Amino acid sequence: DVKVTQSSRYLVKRTGEKVFLECVQDMDHENMFWYRQDPGLGLRLIYFSYDVKMKEKGDIPEGYSVSREKKERFSLILESASTNQTSMYLCASSLGGLTNTGELFFGEGSRLTVL
Amino acid sequence: AQKITQTQPGMFVQEKEAVTLDCTYDTSDPSYGLFWYKQPSSGEMIFLIYQGSYDQQNATEGRYSLNFQKARKSANLVISASQLGDSAMYFCAMRGLINAGNNRKLIWGLGTSLAVNP
């Protein structure tokens, strides 16, 4: 069964803390994505990666960084968490190339609360 | 610019009836793909159905079908014989298949919340 696994379903952190959200996929997908989801705002892309060590900014990269040292793992880092980063974070992966649909496979999500 | 519009923030349907969720899109890509995802209250996004812009027939997957009208730039999701478990958020999304800047990521609508009444 193909799978995208996010390290934590629920996290509570304090303002200023460094936060790591980990995502692992077992489908050998080239592309990996980090989204945040807030009520009324839909899914907003933070960063994505189309290859190991490659990354591109999404729509809302400010306050975040990412790391992709291995193909299967894509980490989202909040260097200094702030209350406005309280949100649901969704990781996804997809096959690369134009000959496939580009369907995204999602993890279960990580709900982060910053106090 | 690419854009997805879902005009129905919320919908109600009676169990066993059919329901149509609207999605319109805008893109400059001559070739593109359209997706529908379901998100139950548990939070996980579930892929439902895909339509390629050059597919001759409308896509179907079980009780889900996509009413694709290319000239109108619409890709409405039809759910037949609604079940209580269909209550969820539904998102329409699009991916360009030509422009290298567009083809790796999906553009998302804001979603429609569907409630199925017993």
Side-chain angles (χ1 to χ4, degrees):
Chain A
D1 198 16
V2 295
K3 211 162 174 60
V4 178
T5 303
Q6 295 184 228
S7 52
S8 306
R9 286 299 303 271
Y10 301 96
L11 302 95
V12 179
K13 298 292 182 181
R14 298 210 174 271
T15 301
E17 279 192 77
K18 192 168 186 176
V19 181
F20 291 89
L21 298 178
E22 305 283 343
C23 177
V24 177
Q25 50 95 3
D26 64 0
M27 297 167 280
D28 202 33
H29 283 171
E30 287 80 7
N31 301 326
M32 296 190 74
F33 306 82
W34 275 107
Y35 290 93
R36 67 175 282 177
Q37 185 178 22
D38 302 287
L41 297 179
L43 276 75
R44 291 182 292 168
L45 183 63
I46 304 171
Y47 268 98
F48 70 101
S49 168
Y50 54 89
D51 202 350
V52 175
K53 296 190 185 296
M54 304 301 289
K55 61 186 179 184
E56 282 197 27
K57 293 180 180 179
D59 302 316
I60 51 164
E62 295 79 17
Y64 303 93
S65 61
V66 290
S67 172
R68 192 165 181 203
E69 296 296 318
K70 294 185 177 181
K71 190 175 185 179
E72 68 269 20
R73 186 179 298 269
F74 192 37
S75 302
L76 180 69
I77 303 151
L78 289 66
E79 292 288 342
S80 177
S82 63
T83 54
N84 63 13
Q85 293 178 310
T86 291
S87 186
M88 170 72 95
Y89 291 87
L90 293 169
C91 176
S93 70
S94 71
L95 272 173
L98 297 174
T99 57
N100 59 81
T101 67
E103 171 194 347
L104 293 185
F105 294 81
F106 282 86
E108 291 183 319
S110 299
R111 188 168 292 281
L112 172 67
T113 301
V114 183
L115 302 175
Chain B
Q2 296 190 317
K3 187 176 181 180
I4 293 282
T5 302
Q6 295 180 253
T7 57
Q8 306 152 313
M11 291 278 288
F12 294 91
V13 65
Q14 217 50 38
E15 194 177 8
K16 299 182 184 177
E17 291 185 352
V19 63
T20 298
L21 305 183
D22 293 342
C23 172
T24 58
Y25 61 90
D26 194 15
T27 181
S28 56
D29 268 301
S31 179
Y32 48 90
L34 295 153
F35 303 79
W36 277 92
Y37 281 82
K38 171 185 178 181
Q39 187 179 39
S41 57
S42 59
E44 187 174 359
M45 296 284 281
I46 302 166
F47 168 73
L48 295 178
I49 196 167
Y50 171 83
Q51 177 83 47
S53 60
Y54 282 97
D55 291 341
Q56 294 298 316
Q57 292 190 322
N58 286 346
T60 61
E61 288 286 346
R63 294 186 299 112
Y64 304 108
S65 60
L66 205 152
N67 183 1
F68 181 47
Q69 299 188 43
K70 196 171 182 179
R72 293 186 174 187
K73 293 190 174 181
S74 73
N76 298 338
L77 177 70
V78 180
I79 305 174
S80 62
S82 296
Q83 302 172 355
L84 296 178
D86 293 334
S87 294
M89 282 290 291
Y90 289 82
F91 292 93
C92 180
M94 175 175 64
R95 172 191 183 222
L97 297 177
I98 298 294
N99 186 312
N102 292 338
N103 69 50
R104 294 194 180 104
K105 55 185 181 179
L106 268 60
I107 306 300
W108 295 85
L110 294 183
T112 295
S113 178
L114 177 66
V116 180
N117 297 323

